[in-house]
Amino acid sequence: MADAGGPVPGRGRRRRPGGTVLGSRPAYSVRLPPRARPAPAVTKAERTVPWLRVAAAYAWRIVLVGIAVHGAFTVLGRFQLIAVAVFLALVVTAVLRPAADLLHRFLPRPLGVAVALVGSLLVLLALLALVGNTVAGRWAKLASEFGGGLHRIEQWLGRPPFRIGPGTLTGLWNQALSYLSTHRAGLLDTLLSGLGRLVELVTAGALALFLSVFFIHSGERLWRWAGDELLPRGARPVWERAGRAAWWAFSGYTRGIIVVAAVNAVLVGVALLVLRVPLALPLTLLEFFATFVPLVGSPVALGVATVVALAGRGPLTALAVLALIVVIGQIEGHLLHPLVMSWAVRLHPLVIAVSVVAGSIVGGIIGAVVAVPFVSVAWAVLRALRSVPP
């Protein structure tokens, strides 16, 4: 009987498809340890301390940036006339672009640009003519006032605590005259070079006026065309973002500094008229243009006004004008700049001072004027490119 014997083959245990009986175990099993990966080789750079690696990484990048900046300033120095013209054109565009946009609502775009430019030129020429007529009309009276003022200064210096005798002042005057007669040729060459610089400045002004016509009319299209023609497609959004940030910072700074200069000029003009200082209107105009050199221009202009007040009105009026330097500086630093320049790029006074000094070393007066807006634009572009776009 088949059921009474041993186990029936094929019953009780199932077989896998490969032939292995389920539930059975191999005769032996050995578990091998996982193969250890070889340790990566340690380079010499990784054996240095972390802060030294970070400092070296920053150092060579800073060196490259310095080389690029030096090269840019070298090129600008070779083409200084064109650089000044472009800067003046950008200033004119920042000032007159809102007026041209407003006129475009009622007039065609080219006609609105022409009205804005011609109107601003007429206002500037009328202001200069008014200053010239004021100086020419009072020239004889000013000469007598200055003569009397110099005599009063001589008497004032002869009193305590100075006690400078008239012979000392006469000796200094004679030394100045002898210096002028000895260095007459050098002074003449300096004057001729100054006239050459004046011709270059007039040329730069004409070129700036020509460029500002196109910048006001279609500046954004020129910027977009430059990006489309010179850059690959992937870099165009960065180009647009950097351009918007740069123009926002530059135009905001330009309009803000014009407002600050106008307020300073009004305050100085009112004070000089109250104190009856000679040449009040030319000194007011000098204060307006000197404010464009931050931290330095306004005190220098008021220093000139102090000398004029000392010669024309005496020591007490000169001291009052000298006190005006402190008052105007406090108003400009603690009231006008925080209120007016808050919508532009705000820089620390330390950064402004260093920028003005560095700009004057590189480019003289022009470098001192251009330094602060240049740093403002660079900082605005850096912030715009560092942030993640939406």
Side-chain angles (χ1 to χ4, degrees), residues 82 214 348 382:
I82 299 177
F214 297 97
H348 195 274
L382 180 62

Side-chain angles (χ1 to χ4, degrees), residues 227-239:
D228 294 341
E229 294 294 330
L230 301 177
L231 297 177
R233 186 178 299 273
R236 292 171 189 172
V238 178
W239 176 262

Side-chain angles (χ1 to χ4, degrees), residues 302-330:
L302 289 176
V304 175
T306 303
V307 174
V308 174
L310 181 62
R313 297 293 299 170
L316 295 179
T317 305
L319 289 175
V321 177
L322 193 63
L324 189 64
I325 297 177
V326 180
V327 175
I328 294 297
Q330 295 298 318

Side-chain angles (χ1 to χ4, degrees), residues 164-185:
I164 299 176
T168 305
L169 296 177
T170 305
L172 292 176
W173 180 253
N174 292 332
Q175 288 179 6
L177 291 179
S178 64
Y179 178 82
L180 291 177
S181 61
T182 305
H183 299 82
R184 186 180 304 169

Side-chain angles (χ1 to χ4, degrees), residues 168-322:
T168 305
L169 296 177
T170 305
L172 292 176
W173 180 253
N174 292 332
Q175 288 179 6
L177 291 179
S178 64
Y179 178 82
L180 291 177
S181 61
T182 305
H183 299 82
R184 186 180 304 169
L187 294 175
L188 183 60
D189 293 339
T190 305
L191 180 61
L192 292 177
S193 64
L195 291 176
R197 299 289 291 181
L198 181 61
V199 172
E200 291 181 0
L201 185 60
V202 172
T203 306
L207 181 58
L209 184 63
F210 179 75
L211 293 175
S212 60
V213 173
F214 297 97
F215 288 169
I216 297 174
H217 183 267
S218 55
E220 67 280 354
R221 282 188 290 173
L222 291 174
W223 183 264
R224 195 176 301 114
W225 174 85
D228 294 341
E229 294 294 330
L230 301 177
L231 297 177
R233 186 178 299 273
R236 292 171 189 172
V238 178
W239 176 262
E240 290 290 335
R241 194 162 71 249
R244 285 193 298 269
W247 180 246
W248 177 262
F250 183 83
S251 60
Y253 178 84
T254 303
R255 296 165 190 164
I257 200 66
I258 288 176
V259 172
V260 172
V263 174
N264 278 357
V266 170
L267 293 176
V268 171
V270 171
L272 294 180
L273 288 175
V274 171
L275 296 173
R276 292 185 299 172
V277 177
L279 298 176
L281 184 59
L283 291 174
T284 302
L285 190 62
L286 177 63
E287 170 67 21
F288 175 78
F289 287 109
T291 309
F292 286 92
V293 182
L295 300 178
V296 179
S298 181
V300 170
L302 289 176
V304 175
T306 303
V307 174
V308 174
L310 181 62
R313 297 293 299 170
L316 295 179
T317 305
L319 289 175
V321 177
L322 193 63

